[in-house]
Amino acid sequence: MNSHLHGTPRRATWLWATLIVATLLTWGMGASGATGRGAIAILAAISFWKGAVIILDFMALRHAPLLWRVVTLGWMIVVWAVIAIAYIKGLPQ
């Protein structure tokens, strides 16, 4: 396996561990009843970062042609935009 294109096992392990920590952090925030726009922004940022790590590193698209990265990351941005719009529209005026 070409480590330049696919990363190293050490990097994959480190990223996997940080994804686990991020998941536990977001779960903890939800379980503790964290509310408010700040908490939502933190949760959204963490989940967006997790999605980018999965797409770029675990789907091995970090060194893929630009089109593939644009399509996959663009799709994630579109999904998050729809979620953000739904959240903002649901806020009390």
Side-chain angles (χ1 to χ4, degrees):
M1 178 182 348
N2 188 343
S3 66
H4 171 69
L5 296 178
H6 299 290
T8 63
R10 173 180 233 138
R11 177 177 167 81
T13 302
W14 182 83
L15 286 172
W16 174 79
T18 58
L19 287 169
I20 295 297
V21 169
T23 299
L24 292 173
L25 176 66
T26 55
W27 176 81
M29 287 179 69
S32 70
T35 59
R37 292 181 184 176
I40 298 300
I42 291 169
L43 291 169
I46 290 171
S47 65
F48 189 85
W49 173 81
K50 288 171 56 177
V53 166
I54 290 167
I55 288 169
L56 295 174
D57 290 292
F58 290 98
M59 292 174 63
L61 293 176
R62 183 167 301 279
H63 300 288
L66 179 62
L67 177 63
W68 285 110
R69 289 179 284 160
V70 168
V71 167
T72 55
L73 291 171
W75 175 251
M76 187 174 66
I77 290 168
V78 167
V79 169
W80 266 111
V82 170
I83 290 170
I85 290 167
Y87 175 75
I88 291 168
K89 289 191 104 15
L91 289 175
Q93 299 296 326

